[in-house]
Amino acid sequence: MEGLVLYNTRTRSKQAFAPIEAGHARLYTCGPTVYAAPHIGNLRSNLFADLLKRALQLEGLRVTQVINVTDVGHLTDDADAGEDKIEQAAARSGKSVAEIADLYTAQWLADRERTQCLPPEVICKATDHIDEQIEMVRILEAKGYSYRIDDGIYFDTARFPGYADFARLNLEGQESGARIGDVPGKRNPSDFALWKFPDPDGGKRLQEWDSPWGRGFPGWHLECSAMSSKYLGEQFDIHTGGVDHIAVHHSNEIAQSECCYDVHPWVAFWLHNEFLDLRGEKMSKSKGNVTVLDDLIAAGYPALAFRYFFLQAHYRQQQVFSDEAMEAAATGYDRLVGVAAEVRDADGDIDPAKLTPFRERFQQAVRDDLNAPRALATAWEVARSGDLAPAECWALLREFDAFLGLDLEHAEPRRSASESDPRIDALVEQRQAARAAKDFAESDRIRDELAAEGVVIEDTPDGPRWRRA
RNA sequence: GGCGGCGUAGCCAAGUGGUAAGGCACGGGACUGCAAAUCCCUGAUCCCCGGUUCGAAUCCGGGCGCCGCCUCCA
């Protein structure tokens, strides 16, 4: 079995992964635009990148992961027009741009932590790297890749012959599709802004900087090019993002980076996660019809139940999210945690030969383009295997959890959650007394009464316990 | 108009040439005073039609259906 194999969007094929620098994988993950709370679709992207990071670590690689925080320049409509989303959110809420950015950055970090995403080595904000972005535009300009129009400094995609290659774009086909509201003066429809000038009719922007071309702000695509190469080098191993970024954002990043640094390929591997399928209800932060992690938690699901849900489908496949599917995932997660809780303190001898087949199957799944569903299925085979001693079962589950990230070491199953409340405890005791007296009408009445207020009684060999449903 | 993906049991889904992983639900059983919780058992020939092949869910062609990208979006 060779090592890790990853599907590379750049070559449209699975390829064996080998880092440019031996023993060290350099990974850039397109991060959030912090103008709203991340929804569960955004979360899927984070979870996917985390899975990748864990798989790289399991290969024994040191991983440097950089994630950007977009806090300027992400416009609402066209890539070249429209309002800045962050400024819009600030105006709406009466908060400052920095407050908005800080608020949602914190929310994003909290969601990552709650779903066991490993912290990145570097988190970088676009507004902290304005100089680097300006420098890049300067170089591109010096090399003749840019031109100036009223609206800003633009990248001339015609100067980069390979522009259409990455996304396999049919530029002519696109041109025939009428494009409305284009920026006057652009030479090609695919040209994009490197540096934007404030809209003369749009009032003063909250975020502007001086540049060799005057006041303005960086084009959205620029930050990823500038920051990734600042922290990872002019060529690095892997760049991740959602499939929606392939055609525009990543094509543009590649164009400006390869022209700026004179490299090819700028990034060796490009990995993209598919979207959650909301049954036609497209979820996007700009539309407001979003489900966020806190919604799931309010519905009674542990945050990691969503991670479990995510693991059930391959990252390159659209995954249908529904209440029913989420409920099923939560039940499955709870039961797996239940098994872990039973075996994790087990002592006893471990026969390595018994572990090998499961271990191999698991590794094979991980190495085959991060096949989490198969990896998870292997964990279940272990959990339900009658042949493994508890200590052996735990040895495997613990090992697998380094990839799955389900906190099997600490998570507690719901069934062991036992609450305490003087009033309810008293009712439960009354029920016990009735049962002892074989007055089942009374004991069932008490149980029903508690059930009506959402309290579930579970009878165990050690006596009853209760919890809120 | 251009580009891409998908269609596998009630649901979420693995599987890309040799007779269909896993989870959830349903049903059956154990346990229970009865339940709940828990544990065990049980189900599909893979959207339709045609073709290639000794052999196809898996390859090719044609349908039908769904989702997405090309413009902010994970």
Side-chain angles (χ1 to χ4, degrees):
Chain A
M1 185 71 210
E2 339 80 74
L4 180 62
V5 171
L6 299 171
Y7 183 85
N8 189 351
T9 302
R10 190 169 68 80
T11 59
R12 297 294 200 278
S13 63
K14 286 186 185 177
Q15 293 178 282
F17 176 75
I20 295 167
E21 177 191 329
H24 180 200
R26 290 172 291 175
L27 167 65
Y28 184 84
T29 295
C30 263
T33 304
V34 285
Y35 66 96
H39 56 63
I40 56 176
N42 296 310
L43 217 43
R44 190 181 194 206
S45 282
N46 284 276
L47 288 166
F48 148 62
D50 183 63
L51 220 46
L52 171 62
K53 180 175 189 177
R54 288 168 181 266
L56 292 166
Q57 290 180 337
L58 287 175
E59 294 299 316
L61 297 167
R62 180 183 136 224
V63 180
T64 301
Q65 182 184 31
V66 176
I67 308 184
N68 66 300
V69 169
T70 299
D71 56 355
V72 66
H74 208 172
L75 307 180
T76 50
D77 282 315
D78 194 275
D80 314 309
E83 282 184 82
D84 185 302
K85 289 180 174 182
I86 315 271
E87 296 206 351
Q88 202 177 47
R92 246 195 331 255
S93 63
K95 292 186 163 77
S96 74
V97 166
E99 282 171 336
I100 289 292
D102 289 348
L103 175 67
Y104 293 117
T105 299
Q107 179 73 60
W108 167 68
L109 286 171
D111 284 2
R112 282 181 58 85
E113 196 175 324
R114 290 188 291 181
T115 51
Q116 296 263 115
C117 290
L118 302 173
E121 280 60 36
V122 177
I123 294 177
C124 46
K125 291 160 64 174
T127 53
D128 287 340
H129 297 77
I130 300 298
D131 289 346
E132 287 86 344
Q133 297 181 68
I134 288 173
E135 176 62 11
M136 227 177 140
V137 181
R138 235 182 34 72
I139 293 171
L140 289 169
E141 183 177 54
K143 290 184 176 178
Y145 288 109
S146 67
Y147 59 91
R148 178 182 187 131
I149 56 179
D150 288 348
D151 180 74
I153 307 296
Y154 275 73
F155 184 91
D156 186 351
T157 52
R159 294 285 324 276
F160 182 57
Y163 184 79
D165 295 350
F166 179 71
R168 316 234 159 151
L169 300 174
N170 177 342
L171 294 175
E172 266 135 55
Q174 288 188 318
E175 279 172 303
S176 70
R179 190 173 153 125
I180 304 161
D182 212 341
V183 176
K186 271 174 66 171
R187 295 178 185 170
N188 313 287
S190 52
D191 290 355
F192 55 93
L194 295 168
W195 188 262
K196 297 269 295 177
F197 302 136
D199 182 351
D201 308 322
K204 183 165 166 43
R205 283 179 52 91
L206 299 167
Q207 292 182 291
E208 287 180 4
W209 293 266
D210 286 320
S211 80
W213 313 279
R215 296 285 287 178
F217 60 102
W220 170 47
H221 312 294
L222 200 55
E223 61 173 279
C224 286
S225 288
M227 295 195 289
S228 60
S229 283
K230 169 174 180 173
Y231 294 104
L232 297 173
E234 294 188 356
Q235 286 185 295
F236 58 94
D237 300 300
I238 309 176
H239 192 131
T240 72
V243 285
D244 56 318
H245 283 152
I246 296 172
V248 177
H249 185 47
H250 290 164
S251 287
N252 293 350
E253 281 186 48
I254 289 169
Q256 63 200 181
S257 296
E258 298 204 348
C259 291
C260 178
Y261 305 130
D262 289 315
V263 292
H264 180 78
W266 173 50
V267 176
F269 281 76
W270 289 82
L271 273 60
H272 295 93
N273 64 283
E274 254 297 350
F275 273 30
L276 240 35
D277 178 353
L278 283 305
R279 293 257 111 116
E281 291 295 311
K282 184 175 158 110
M283 173 156 25
S284 67
K285 285 191 283 195
S286 52
K287 286 198 176 166
N289 63 325
V290 299
T291 299
V292 299
L293 187 61
D294 278 325
D295 292 331
L296 299 180
I297 288 169
Y301 300 120
L304 287 176
F306 182 73
R307 185 173 177 114
Y308 181 97
F309 168 83
F310 160 76
L311 293 171
Q312 286 185 301
H314 188 93
Y315 77 88
R316 279 196 293 118
Q317 224 54 56
Q318 292 180 5
Q319 180 179 19
V320 176
F321 180 86
S322 63
D323 291 346
E324 191 181 0
M326 186 59 225
E327 180 66 30
T331 303
Y333 175 60
D334 189 50
R335 289 194 184 146
L336 188 61
V337 166
V339 173
E342 273 171 35
V343 299
R344 64 188 164 208
D345 294 322
D347 296 318
D349 294 334
I350 291 175
D351 178 0
K354 282 166 73 182
L355 309 191
T356 304
F358 293 106
R359 190 176 269 155
E360 281 180 351
R361 239 176 300 165
F362 190 86
Q363 184 182 52
Q364 222 164 50
V366 173
R367 287 180 158 184
D368 183 11
D369 195 30
L370 317 177
N371 196 319
R374 244 161 66 203
L376 186 60
T378 306
W380 270 109
E381 285 166 21
V382 167
R384 295 251 157 102
S385 166
D387 295 332
L388 295 171
E392 293 169 331
C393 179
W394 177 237
L396 287 167
L397 289 182
R398 178 182 190 165
E399 196 175 304
F400 294 174
D401 204 39
F403 178 69
L404 302 174
L406 294 172
D407 196 28
L408 297 180
E409 180 116 38
H410 308 289
E412 288 300 324
R414 301 178 73 201
R415 68 165 182 271
S416 63
S418 187
E419 299 184 55
S420 174
D421 175 288
R423 183 181 63 84
I424 295 173
D425 289 345
L427 283 168
V428 171
E429 270 180 51
Q430 277 177 39
R431 171 171 171 271
Q432 281 307 89
R435 292 179 72 202
K438 306 250 184 246
D439 182 358
F440 297 122
E442 173 64 6
S443 67
D444 288 351
R445 189 192 63 73
I446 295 172
R447 187 171 64 197
D448 291 346
E449 184 184 316
L450 288 171
E453 56 178 295
V455 172
V456 180
I457 297 181
E458 289 172 4
D459 293 319
T460 77
D462 304 322
R465 64 175 164 229
W466 64 271
R467 61 182 169 80
R468 294 179 203 285

